Amino acid sequence: MAKGFHDTQEFKEFPQRVSEIRKRLAHERQSRTENDNAVDKAGDDCLSQIQTLRHTLNVIFDRLERRTISEMESRKTSLKNKIQADVDQIDDVTEQLEMLTDALKEGSDTNDALSYIGFTKCDEVIFNAQLLLQTIANKDDFKMTFQSFKRITEYLSSLEMLGEVVCEGGEKPLPGPDHVFEVEKHVLHNVEVADDKHTCYITGICRLANGEFLLSDNRNSKLKLLNSSCQVMSTSNVPDSPQDVCSTGQREAAVTVDDYKDRHEILLVRIKAGKIEPMKTIKCQHTCRGLAYHGAHLYVTTLTALHVYDMAGGQGRQLNIDETGEYTVYSCAVSPDGSLIYITNYTHHQLITLNKDGTKLSTLTHPELRLPSSPHVTAQGHVFVTCREQNTVVQVTEKNNQQTVTTLAGENNGLTKPWSLCFNSNDSLVVGQSYNDNIVELKLK
């Protein structure tokens, strides 16, 4: 294999490829560094805003304190004035009684008339004094206390912070499963490699946990590892006719391999240091076409039936069978929680929905759902299907138990016989095509 390798175009172009990738890496590193500095500045800005808010709160509490103290002083003065009014009345009556008593003492032995007049007036003052005493006795002592508004302390005690620190950027949160996407733009990525003998035929595609992609190129009998920018990093030869592919772990995947004659296998591989390494081969007694993974189980379609395997190769039960046509159980996908299984009936132009026990829940037919090839379900529950002969990708949504089909992309978005697809976490759908060296990345909104 190495003989004459120095003279190959691939080897000669290698320095240029390295130079280009280093430039891109340097650019991204600079961008990340600038973003890191921007985050530091944003942290300083947030701190300044927090301190400003604290100052504002201090000003508000100072104002409230001044107003409360002023109101307290006003009410205290009012109470003291009322108390002083009672004291003044007591002093006035006491003075009158003292004056009249002194006058009576001076004139009581010499003049009966003056004594009578003094007694009468004194008796009148005593009567008024008794009325005053009765009035004062019916009064409670004035008291003054402070009662804070409970809402203030309860509300402030319920808070854990002065406000919320909002972080943005990174992967965008996706809308709910009933959201109908639109294609903002499309980008073509060439996945041909130098030793390909045929035009690419991408029958399977999956996204790995680190953002890389694994493709199955059926006609060239290869697995192709792509980076997150959809550029080919490495390839691995497969004995014959790889079909579908799905991620089974952080750096692992499974591939159905079937020549529709004697070879019926599930190949387990791992990705290590940018290379694809075979791990294990599971031999099957039936055709192996579509493939999905959930809960340590592999869901395999045989074109007319759906089987379940564990990762050790032990075959579970057959969940579904339909022998009314040649491709009635073509490909499959499993919902994030494992409760729903989607099957494409290529022969009868249908999308079948099963529960996890294999019971049929619905059969969807629609004019825009013609010859459906591969279904795909996102982590949020969005359902997409490729329709190869119509050159379209459709989205299936459900509301009030009513399923709706919307054509998401077509030939004007670069699609030519789309076959496989998977969702990327940055709001894009990557579509593999048949008889085409390009995969299509659909940027969604």
Side-chain angles (χ1 to χ4, degrees):
M1 291 178 63
K3 185 177 181 180
F5 184 67
H6 282 88
D7 298 325
T8 64
Q9 189 68 23
E10 182 180 5
F11 184 78
K12 292 177 180 179
E13 293 176 354
F14 187 71
Q16 179 63 27
R17 288 178 60 197
V18 172
S19 176
E20 290 177 358
I21 197 67
R22 289 185 64 185
K23 286 180 182 179
R24 292 184 59 192
L25 289 170
H27 174 75
E28 290 301 330
R29 190 183 189 285
Q30 178 64 25
S31 176
R32 292 289 89 187
T33 301
E34 292 174 356
N35 191 211
D36 184 64
N37 294 334
V39 169
D40 282 337
K41 184 180 182 304
D44 294 339
D45 292 342
C46 288
L47 179 59
S48 176
Q49 293 175 31
I50 292 170
Q51 293 172 339
T52 299
L53 175 59
R54 175 59 187 270
H55 175 72
T56 302
L57 292 176
N58 289 342
V59 171
I60 293 173
F61 279 115
D62 288 344
R63 174 174 57 81
L64 294 176
E65 181 184 15
R66 288 195 302 270
R67 289 184 177 181
T68 305
I69 292 174
S70 176
E71 179 67 15
M72 182 272 293
E73 292 290 350
S74 175
R75 296 198 176 197
K76 184 179 74 171
T77 299
S78 176
L79 293 183
K80 289 176 66 67
N81 288 339
K82 291 179 181 179
I83 294 172
Q84 188 61 46
D86 290 342
V87 171
D88 290 343
Q89 291 186 65
I90 292 172
D91 290 345
D92 184 54
V93 171
T94 301
E95 185 180 353
Q96 293 181 43
L97 286 173
E98 185 177 352
M99 291 175 59
L100 290 171
T101 301
D102 291 342
L104 282 174
K105 288 179 179 180
E106 293 177 0
S108 60
D109 295 334
T110 58
N111 192 321
D112 289 340
L114 289 176
S115 297
Y116 176 76
I117 293 172
F119 173 81
T120 303
K121 289 186 176 181
C122 189
D123 188 55
E124 181 180 349
V125 173
I126 291 173
F127 177 77
N128 290 334
Q130 290 175 335
L131 288 177
L132 176 61
L133 290 171
Q134 184 178 356
T135 300
I136 293 175
N138 290 331
K139 292 180 179 180
D140 290 329
D141 288 344
F142 290 111
K143 299 177 182 178
M144 188 170 66
T145 60
F146 174 71
Q147 297 179 353
S148 63
F149 292 137
K150 290 184 177 180
R151 294 194 304 275
I152 294 178
T153 54
E154 288 176 355
Y155 177 69
L156 292 177
S157 298
S158 69
L159 298 178
E160 295 184 359
M161 299 183 294
L162 290 176
E164 183 179 4
V165 179
V166 180
C167 297
E168 299 177 348
E171 295 181 359
K172 300 177 183 178
L174 291 175
D178 58 347
H179 173 77
V180 179
F181 287 95
E182 295 180 14
V183 176
E184 191 171 20
K185 65 177 181 178
H186 70 274
V187 181
L188 301 181
H189 300 282
N190 190 286
V191 293
E192 180 188 16
V193 295
D195 59 344
D196 281 350
K197 296 180 180 180
H198 307 282
T199 304
C200 296
Y201 198 111
I202 309 303
T203 51
I205 180 170
C206 72
R207 183 180 184 272
L208 303 175
N210 64 349
E212 296 172 349
F213 298 93
L214 188 64
L215 313 184
S216 54
D217 186 344
N218 180 273
R219 296 189 75 220
N220 289 298
S221 296
K222 283 190 179 75
L223 295 178
K224 297 181 176 180
L225 181 65
L226 278 57
N227 62 19
S228 58
S229 299
C230 295
Q231 295 177 320
V232 179
M233 296 178 6
S234 64
T235 66
S236 176
N237 292 325
V238 178
D240 194 9
S241 303
Q243 300 292 332
D244 207 354
V245 60
C246 69
S247 174
T248 59
Q250 289 290 322
R251 304 281 290 174
E252 297 178 353
V255 187
T256 46
V257 179
D258 202 299
D259 60 2
Y260 298 126
K261 296 177 183 177
D262 303 319
R263 187 183 296 276
H264 314 298
E265 300 171 348
I266 303 172
L267 176 63
L268 304 182
V269 300
R270 71 160 58 95
I271 311 302
K272 187 176 181 180
K275 300 295 182 181
I276 306 167
E277 298 181 352
M279 294 170 53
K280 179 180 179 180
T281 299
I282 301 173
K283 301 288 185 178
C284 301
Q285 301 301 315
H286 55 71
T287 299
C288 297
R289 171 58 197 80
L291 186 63
Y293 174 81
H294 185 273
H297 288 88
L298 292 168
Y299 295 77
V300 184
T301 64
T302 71
L303 301 181
T304 58
L306 175 66
H307 293 263
V308 182
Y309 287 81
D310 60 34
M311 295 301 290
Q315 183 176 355
R317 54 203 175 99
Q318 180 176 276
L319 289 183
N320 180 265
I321 185 169
D322 184 347
E323 297 179 339
T324 61
E326 189 176 3
Y327 306 117
T328 52
V329 185
Y330 195 73
S331 291
C332 64
V334 183
S335 65
D337 60 1
S339 63
L340 299 176
I341 304 168
Y342 298 92
I343 295 173
T344 50
N345 185 326
Y346 190 84
T347 300
H348 300 311
H349 318 290
Q350 297 171 340
L351 178 68
I352 311 296
T353 305
L354 313 176
N355 67 12
K356 62 181 180 180
D357 297 321
T359 303
K360 185 182 292 187
L361 301 178
S362 67
T363 300
L364 175 64
T365 57
H366 193 278
E368 296 182 50
L369 192 68
R370 298 286 299 172
L371 297 173
S373 306
S374 299
H376 179 76
V377 188
T378 72
Q380 288 72 29
H382 308 97
V383 180
F384 302 98
V385 184
T386 55
C387 296
R388 179 175 179 270
E389 298 304 324
Q390 287 189 299
N391 298 324
T392 60
V393 171
V394 302
Q395 181 179 355
V396 179
T397 53
E398 182 172 342
K399 189 173 184 180
N400 299 324
N401 296 322
Q402 183 69 36
Q403 291 179 309
T404 303
V405 177
T406 304
T407 296
L408 182 67
E411 293 178 357
N412 59 328
N413 303 112
L415 297 181
T416 305
K417 297 188 181 304
W419 192 267
S420 53
L421 76 166
C422 77
F423 197 79
N424 194 6
S425 62
N426 61 351
D427 295 356
S428 66
L429 199 61
V430 181
V431 184
Q433 307 189 98
S434 47
Y435 304 109
N436 198 311
D437 290 331
N438 292 318
I439 61 173
V440 181
E441 185 179 10
L442 302 172
K443 302 287 187 178
L444 305 180
K445 60 179 180 178

